[in-house]
């Protein structure tokens, strides 16, 4: 059962790479290797020097803040933010296109760690729903990041794009926060299904030019 956790993001990265034109694939390899290396360094730090272990609280709010910031926003902001700054010679559009390979390659290493450090036996939510939601989040963020350059002059469309990206971040954290305190299952199943199905819709051929 751990195979899904370990293979989902790496396989999605391989599919992403193979979908690129043969002439452009080499352009993304440094991005992918940088993300993998960053994930390996971060994981080594966590294993060797960090003794922190998160214990879920009875509070939905406290869990939500931890999942949103510690497992999503901060890792994404640090990894992609640094990459965005160091890739100054590339255009803004190119740097936006690097989001998915950079972040997914990092989380290919990091996400299995934060999932498998959970106490055994691993529940199905942790093994299947959480990694699927993270992948869906990255797909949605990539698609709407790529729309920013063409909508930056349209305030309404730009605000909609930003709102969708914020929702993409919030839903996985909120879903896990609801699940971990054993609320009525439909309260977390519905938002999880919406995010995952929306990401599936975005990768259909007619909608997938940005991913």
């Amino acid at each position: 059962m751990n195979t899904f956790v370990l293979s989902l993001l790496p396989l999605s990265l391989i599919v992403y790479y193979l979908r690129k034109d043969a002439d452009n694939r080499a352009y993304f390899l440094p991005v992918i290797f940088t993300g993998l290396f960053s994930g390996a360094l971060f994981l080594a730090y966590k294993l060797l020097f960090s003794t922190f272990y998160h214990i879920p609280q009875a509070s939905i709010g406290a869990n939500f803040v931890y999942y949103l910031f510690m497992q999503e926003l901060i890792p994404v902001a640090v990894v992609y933010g640094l990459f965005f700054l160091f890739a100054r010679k590339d255009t803004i559009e190119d740097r936006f296109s690097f989001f998915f390979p950079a972040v997914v390659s990092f989380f290919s290493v990091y996400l299995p760690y934060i999932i498998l450090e959970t106490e055994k036996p691993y529940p199905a939510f942790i093994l299947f729903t959480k990694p699927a939601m993270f992948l869906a989040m990255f797909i949605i963020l990539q698609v709407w990041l790529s729309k920013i350059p063409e909508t930056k002059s349209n305030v309404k469309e730009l605000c909609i794009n930003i709102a969708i990206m914020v929702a993409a971040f919030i839903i996985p954290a909120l879903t896990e926060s609801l699940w971990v305190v054993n609320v009525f299952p439909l309260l977390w199943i519905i938002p999880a299904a919406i995010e995952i199905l929306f990401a599936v819709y975005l990768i259909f051929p007619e909608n997938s030019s940005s991913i």
Side-chain angles (χ1 to χ4, degrees):
M1 293 176 67
N2 295 348
T3 304
F4 185 79
V5 174
L6 296 171
S7 63
L8 179 65
L9 293 186
L11 286 176
S12 69
L13 201 58
I14 292 171
V15 172
Y16 171 88
Y17 176 76
L18 293 176
R19 288 178 64 173
K20 296 298 177 182
D21 293 335
D23 295 337
N24 295 328
R25 288 175 185 171
Y27 195 53
F28 290 90
L29 282 178
V31 183
I32 293 170
F33 286 127
T34 300
L36 290 171
F37 182 68
S38 301
L41 283 180
F42 189 75
L43 182 56
Y45 166 78
K46 293 281 287 184
L47 293 173
L48 295 174
F49 303 109
S50 177
T51 58
F52 176 78
Y53 176 77
H54 174 67
I55 299 175
Q57 307 297 308
S59 166
I60 293 175
N63 292 322
F64 173 75
V65 169
Y66 173 81
Y67 295 133
L68 179 64
F69 285 93
M70 301 307 294
Q71 293 190 358
E72 296 177 19
L73 279 176
I74 292 177
V76 168
V78 171
V79 172
Y80 181 62
L82 289 174
F83 192 90
F84 193 89
L85 291 174
F86 285 130
R88 291 191 301 270
K89 293 182 179 179
D90 296 292
T91 65
I92 293 293
E93 290 81 1
D94 285 339
R95 283 184 276 177
F96 281 157
S97 71
F98 293 154
F99 174 83
F100 187 86
V103 174
V104 172
S105 57
F106 173 85
F107 274 88
S108 293
V109 179
Y110 182 53
L111 185 60
Y113 167 76
I114 62 178
I115 287 177
L116 298 179
E117 72 169 350
T118 308
E119 290 185 5
K120 297 179 181 180
Y122 301 125
F125 177 91
I126 293 295
L127 290 174
F128 299 104
T129 307
K130 182 167 183 170
M133 281 196 301
F134 267 67
L135 177 57
M137 173 176 67
F138 298 142
I139 291 171
I140 294 167
L141 290 172
Q142 174 64 80
V143 171
W144 260 265
L145 266 176
S146 68
K147 293 179 182 291
I148 287 179
E150 61 191 54
T151 60
K152 60 185 178 182
S153 59
N154 187 318
V155 176
K156 181 180 178 180
E157 287 189 19
L158 182 61
C159 289
I160 292 173
N161 290 347
I162 293 172
I164 291 173
M165 289 190 289
V166 170
F169 268 118
I170 287 176
I171 289 176
L174 179 61
T175 299
E176 188 165 1
S177 302
L178 295 171
W179 168 81
V180 81
V181 296
N182 295 316
V183 299
F184 183 61
L186 280 179
L187 293 179
W188 63 261
I189 289 173
I190 291 174
I194 289 173
E195 177 137 8
I196 293 169
L197 292 174
F198 185 48
V200 170
Y201 166 77
L202 291 175
I203 61 176
F204 284 165
E206 62 268 23
N207 306 310
S208 62
S209 58
S210 303
I211 191 71

